[in-house]
Amino acid sequence: MTPSEAKRLSGKTAIVTGAGSRAEGIGNGRAASILLARHGARVALLDVVRGWAEATARMIEAERGECCIIEADVSNPAACAAAVAETAGRWGRLDILVNNVGIAGPPGTAVEVDPEAWDQAMRVNVASMMLMAKHAIPEMRKLGAGAIVNIASVAGLTGGHPNLLYATSKGAIVQLTRAMAAQHGAEGIRVNCIAPGMVYTPMVYARGMSPELREARRRRSLLQTEGTGWDVGNGVIYLVSDEARWVTGVVLPIDAGATAAAGGLPGAAR
């Protein structure tokens, strides 16, 4: 990486929601935050528990990056407004929003799922992205440009998930992205979506996973390799950079080809 490449986001300001982690390791939000700072952006690290974002901040500061931590529940409208105002007030602008917050939500089919838990999970997974964009977009309008990346999941593309809430909420993010891209493109604000596959992140292994299941997940893709938060983070860097200036409304699966292989691998027994 050349010095010019390393600082291609120099002077820009970003917000990443879910920038921390409940467990050690590199999740999607932590990776995106570190890479944004590494490329020169000033990064506001949002998380519902300040302690979860502190390790992310230490990693950024160890590389002499610039960041701040904002404790915020992004399912709360007032918290979203305050987080955007604090970021813009600190650095004078807002160029980038990475809507990364997401939870697994309640289990079950339509028959089994708890309706109250459903409503809360939809608020965290979907409404939070609308709320953050509601306050971020006016700041981007002042610049005549901006980039938003919403993190969904391949579960929102295929529907093959045992829990109705998770697949439904991730599918909603896909359509939210397309609608926002259409509504704000003329303002110079690009809105794109990343649909990660079965990456191995702290959110996954904190719930416990047997070596056998981990191996089975790895083999469910064309590349037969395991993904990490860094793979998703690098996708974020592309989508917010000037290299993607002509890219909006895109849903980018980062899944080692798992969705392309959804119908089965060539020559595989059926």
Side-chain angles (χ1 to χ4, degrees):
M1 182 184 297
T2 67
S4 60
E5 290 172 331
K7 300 300 181 183
R8 60 180 168 168
L9 299 178
S10 181
K12 295 191 175 183
T13 295
I15 289 176
V16 180
T17 70
S21 176
R22 302 185 190 196
E24 292 184 4
I26 303 295
N28 298 334
R30 179 167 288 167
S33 300
I34 292 169
L35 291 170
L36 285 163
R38 189 176 291 171
H39 283 271
R42 299 163 296 196
V43 187
L45 309 172
L46 270 61
D47 221 312
V48 70
V49 176
R50 181 181 180 86
W52 294 348
E54 287 176 346
T56 308
R58 287 194 297 271
M59 293 175 185
I60 290 173
E61 290 163 356
E63 297 183 0
R64 299 186 179 180
E66 188 173 358
C67 66
C68 71
I69 298 174
I70 301 176
E71 187 172 315
D73 174 1
V74 292
S75 69
N76 181 302
C80 294
V84 171
E86 181 175 342
T87 303
R90 175 186 290 264
W91 288 311
R93 60 189 294 151
L94 178 59
D95 304 85
I96 296 162
L97 170 64
V98 181
N99 277 319
N100 172 68
V101 161
I103 59 175
T109 65
V111 176
E112 301 157 345
V113 70
D114 177 78
E116 290 186 7
W118 171 283
D119 288 345
Q120 177 58 25
M122 286 294 285
R123 188 162 190 84
V124 173
N125 284 7
V126 184
S128 69
M129 299 194 178
M130 172 274 293
L131 290 169
M132 287 301 301
K134 181 179 186 68
H135 300 287
I137 287 171
E139 294 297 328
M140 295 175 178
R141 283 173 173 163
K142 296 175 184 178
L143 305 174
I148 299 173
V149 178
N150 299 320
I151 307 298
S153 167
V154 293
L157 303 177
T158 64
H161 196 279
N163 299 324
L164 183 64
L165 178 283
Y166 190 77
T168 301
S169 66
K170 297 305 181 179
I173 294 167
V174 168
Q175 194 58 19
L176 174 84
T177 298
R178 291 170 173 155
M180 287 175 58
Q183 292 167 351
H184 301 289
E187 299 175 296
I189 299 170
R190 300 183 299 104
V191 188
N192 292 292
C193 176
I194 290 177
M198 289 175 285
V199 293
Y200 194 63
T201 64
M203 184 176 176
V204 172
Y205 54 72
R207 298 196 300 263
M209 178 176 291
S210 69
E212 293 78 15
L213 179 54
R214 184 176 178 183
E215 175 65 9
R217 283 164 48 96
R218 181 187 70 80
R219 294 180 61 84
R220 284 178 61 185
S221 69
L222 296 180
L223 297 181
Q224 303 276 292
T225 56
E226 184 175 76
T228 72
W230 296 116
D231 297 302
V232 176
N234 280 314
V236 169
I237 294 302
Y238 166 66
L239 290 173
V240 304
S241 71
D242 289 343
E243 286 83 349
R245 68 176 189 85
W246 215 48
V247 178
T248 196
V250 161
V251 180
L252 174 64
I254 298 182
D255 64 351
T259 48
L265 295 174
R270 294 175 181 248

